[in-house]
């Protein structure tokens, strides 16, 4: 049976990109119906949307004849999910206050389905306190946001506010639909960010990891309907309050929290955990000597512990290898030594990807020398592709078990 998606297109210059999304979804045997806001018709025509979707296009107005055929209640019930893309600041504001002033708003108000929002607007509009207040209201009411991403905007300014790529939007909603095909619920554990190993009360050893890649993976798992826990080290990320997040500082704290979180079906160790810890001094070390001696002690290996934990070993264990040279060689060695199922390797010597960057480029290495590269993209898109591959793995296993 076909999945069904209702796409609401609002008035943004990014609206033309949705034509590619509709084409991709229809090619994937998904039935698509669309509603155009009045201002959306300044960027795409009902005829172009109808010809690509192969369905009637609805306009944002109450029409007695149209309602008789498909009113706001039945149209909202028809869809398996609703996507608003691109979503302007105006529509976000209207949804947040529970507006029922037109056809689109009444559909959203009457819907009992998952609603995804892909914002597109000027960076200052997105950062405006009123917009962010509306976004938080919607997140607390289980609306799922896809993006926005950062980059050069149509207005010529640079920053957050650009609509996520068509590929990412497609991955997110496809992953959600895939999850609904499973005969069982899945649970996941993700580690992210750096750890801090304190030398004294004010000094520590750490690394440049921002935690963004691991956070994006956890968010995409959660958006796919998987019960997900994120264990994350010190960071400056603005994170989704609906996600189950545990904040830790040291490698040992992360290790203990991971032990408490088992069993799960999926474990993804994306954190840049310090390999060695330090016996912390109780007081700040004074600058009295030319040299001081610091003794390091090897920390527990979280990935190895999870991979070799026979009683509670997850069905899929994925590690990350952040390398500066011999990327594949060291990642292959880590895959073998840690007994995990997949290793995701990336080059952290590059300034444009990896640590403290908005983008990444990775290669997934599986057992039996299977390689799968994900080209350079926003970390959110990298996460979407990775989660899609994870869901395909479980979907294939689920289907094999039924045969």
């Amino acid at each position: 049976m076909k999945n069904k998606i209702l796409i609401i297109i609002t008035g943004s210059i990014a609206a033309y990109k949705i034509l590619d999304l509709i084409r991709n979804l229809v090619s994937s045997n998904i039935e698509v119906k669309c509603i155009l806001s009045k201002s959306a018709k300044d960027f795409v025509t009902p005829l172009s949307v109808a010809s690509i979707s192969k369905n009637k296009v609805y306009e944002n107005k109450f029409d007695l004849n149209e309602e008789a055929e498909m009113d706001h209640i039945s149209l909202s019930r028809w869809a398996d999910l609703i996507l608003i893309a691109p979503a302007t600041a105006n529509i976000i504001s209207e949804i947040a206050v529970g507006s029922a002033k037109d056809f689109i708003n009444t559909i959203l108000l009457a819907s009992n389905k998952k609603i995804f929002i892909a914002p597109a607007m000027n960076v200052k509009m997105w950062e405006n306190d009123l917009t962010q207040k509306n976004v938080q209201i919607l997140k607390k009411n289980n609306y799922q946001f896809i993006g926005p991403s950062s980059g050069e905007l149509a207005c010529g300014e640079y920053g957050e506010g650009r609509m996520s790529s068509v590929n990412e939007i497609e991955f997110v909603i496809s992953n959600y639909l895939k999850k609904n095909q499973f005969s069982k619920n899945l649970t996941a554990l993700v580690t992210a960010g750096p750890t801090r190993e304190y030398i004294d009360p004010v000094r520590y050893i750490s690394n440049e990891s921002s935690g963004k890649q691991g956070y994006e993976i956890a968010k995409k798992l959660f958006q796919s309907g998987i019960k997900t826990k994120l264990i994350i080290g010190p960071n400056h990320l603005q994170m989704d309050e609906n996600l189950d997040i545990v904040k830790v500082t040291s490698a040992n704290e992360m290790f203990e929290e991971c032990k408490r979180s088992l069993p799960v079906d999926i474990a993804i160790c994306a954190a840049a955990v310090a390999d060695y810890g330090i016996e912390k001094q109780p007081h700040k070390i004074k600058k009295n000597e030319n040299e001081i001696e610091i003794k390091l002690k090897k920390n527990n290996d979280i990935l190895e512990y999870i991979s070799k934990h026979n009683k509670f070993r997850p069905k899929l264990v994925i590690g990350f290898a952040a390398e500066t040279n011999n990327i594949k060689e060291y990642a292959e060695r880590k895959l073998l030594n840690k007994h995990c199922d997949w290793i995701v390797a990336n080059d952290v010597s590059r300034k444009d990807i990896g640590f403290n960057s908005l983008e990444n480029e990775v290669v997934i290495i599986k057992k039996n020398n299977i390689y799968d590269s994900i080209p350079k993209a926003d970390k959110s898109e990298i996460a979407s592709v990775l989660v899609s591959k994870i869901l395909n793995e479980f979907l294939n296993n689920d289907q094999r078990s039924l045969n």
Side-chain angles (χ1 to χ4, degrees):
M1 188 172 68
K2 280 188 176 183
N3 288 122
K4 300 181 288 293
I5 297 176
L6 175 63
I7 300 180
I8 296 171
I9 306 171
T10 65
S12 163
I13 197 169
Y16 76 93
K17 298 178 182 179
I18 301 304
L19 298 178
D20 287 332
L21 176 64
I22 296 169
R23 185 179 292 110
N24 294 349
L25 294 173
V26 171
S27 297
S28 300
N29 201 35
I30 294 173
E31 187 173 0
V32 177
K33 291 184 178 180
C34 298
I35 306 173
L36 296 182
S37 72
K38 182 179 179 180
S39 55
K41 291 189 292 181
D42 293 333
F43 303 98
V44 291
T45 66
L47 180 60
S48 61
V49 175
S51 62
I52 295 172
S53 67
K54 299 178 174 59
N55 258 320
K56 175 182 176 179
V57 174
Y58 297 86
E59 297 185 22
N60 191 28
K61 61 183 180 180
F62 286 110
D63 182 276
L64 292 177
N65 294 326
E66 189 168 280
E67 280 200 290
E69 179 187 341
M70 182 70 83
D71 65 15
H72 60 282
I73 301 295
S74 57
L75 191 54
S76 68
R77 299 295 184 269
W78 169 85
D80 294 310
L81 67 82
I82 297 174
L83 169 68
I84 310 170
T88 60
N90 184 62
I91 190 66
I92 289 172
S93 172
E94 289 177 353
I95 305 168
V97 298
S99 172
K101 73 181 183 70
D102 54 27
F103 192 52
I104 287 176
N105 281 282
T106 53
I107 284 174
L108 297 172
L109 206 56
S111 175
N112 61 348
K113 303 297 172 58
K114 180 64 75 175
I115 300 175
F116 290 85
I117 299 175
M121 65 192 75
N122 172 267
V123 57
K124 295 303 180 185
M125 293 175 69
W126 174 252
E127 292 176 348
N128 188 286
D129 288 344
L130 292 174
T131 301
Q132 287 305 307
K133 181 180 178 181
N134 291 330
V135 168
Q136 293 307 315
I137 289 171
L138 295 181
K139 285 182 176 180
K140 288 177 181 177
N141 283 276
N142 295 318
Y143 287 76
Q144 298 287 348
F145 279 77
I146 307 173
S149 62
S150 295
E152 187 174 352
L153 305 174
C155 60
E157 295 187 2
Y158 187 93
E160 199 171 15
R162 187 173 64 180
M163 189 179 76
S164 293
S165 71
V166 166
N167 286 340
E168 182 177 358
I169 295 171
E170 184 180 356
F171 273 118
V172 170
I173 60 180
S174 296
N175 288 346
Y176 177 79
L177 294 173
K178 280 179 194 172
K179 173 60 175 60
N180 290 340
Q181 298 177 43
F182 291 114
S183 59
K184 54 186 177 293
N185 292 322
L186 294 177
T187 56
L189 167 67
V190 181
T191 67
T195 62
R196 290 178 181 174
E197 309 305 314
Y198 274 85
I199 301 169
D200 63 21
V202 296
R203 302 181 180 95
Y204 58 82
I205 295 174
S206 190
N207 56 63
E208 290 293 319
S209 172
S210 65
K212 184 171 176 58
Q213 187 65 84
Y215 165 66
E216 290 293 344
I217 292 169
K219 186 168 72 170
K220 295 302 186 294
L221 287 166
F222 174 70
Q223 288 178 340
S224 300
I226 295 172
K227 185 178 180 182
T228 304
K229 174 181 279 190
L230 172 65
I231 302 173
I232 188 166
N235 67 88
H236 300 288
L237 301 172
Q238 288 187 334
M239 292 185 282
D240 191 331
E241 294 180 4
N242 292 321
L243 193 61
D244 183 5
I245 300 171
V246 178
K247 296 179 181 179
V248 297
T249 301
S250 69
N252 187 60
E253 289 173 3
M254 185 172 283
F255 175 68
E256 292 299 326
E257 190 58 45
C258 285
K259 286 202 300 182
R260 284 192 289 270
S261 301
L262 297 175
V264 293
D265 297 299
I266 304 162
I268 303 176
C269 295
V273 184
D275 294 323
Y276 293 89
I278 305 163
E279 186 176 339
K280 180 181 173 182
Q281 299 299 310
H283 304 290
K284 180 183 174 183
I285 300 171
K286 295 298 182 183
K287 190 170 62 177
N288 297 325
E289 306 291 338
N290 290 331
E291 295 180 0
I292 60 170
E293 185 176 287
I294 297 174
K295 291 184 178 180
L296 303 178
K297 182 180 179 182
K298 192 173 183 180
N299 286 324
N300 290 305
D301 192 308
I302 297 172
L303 176 60
E304 188 173 22
Y305 174 84
I306 293 174
S307 287
K308 295 181 178 180
H309 200 301
N310 293 332
K311 184 178 179 182
F312 290 136
R313 190 191 191 279
K315 298 180 180 70
L316 183 63
V317 179
I318 301 173
F320 268 64
E323 305 292 350
T324 59
N325 63 302
N326 301 330
I327 312 298
K328 287 186 178 180
E329 177 188 342
Y330 290 152
E332 288 168 351
R333 189 182 303 173
K334 188 171 185 177
L335 178 72
L336 181 66
N337 292 341
K338 301 299 174 67
H339 295 271
C340 48
D341 302 301
W342 301 0
I343 285 287
V344 181
N346 67 322
D347 184 351
V348 294
S349 68
R350 290 171 52 180
K351 298 300 181 184
D352 60 328
I353 62 171
F355 285 170
N356 249 337
S357 170
L358 296 175
E359 297 181 311
N360 212 349
E361 180 180 323
V362 304
V363 58
I364 302 171
I365 303 175
K366 305 178 184 178
K367 294 175 182 177
N368 303 320
N369 297 319
I370 298 174
Y371 297 86
D372 196 355
S373 297
I374 305 178
K376 183 178 177 180
D378 285 349
K379 286 183 175 177
S380 57
E381 188 168 332
I382 297 286
S384 294
V385 177
L386 180 61
V387 169
S388 180
K389 294 179 184 299
I390 291 169
L391 290 174
N392 284 337
E393 180 84 3
F394 277 85
L395 187 58
N396 292 335
N397 291 338
D398 205 49
Q399 289 172 343
R400 282 194 292 267
S401 67
L402 294 174
N403 295 332

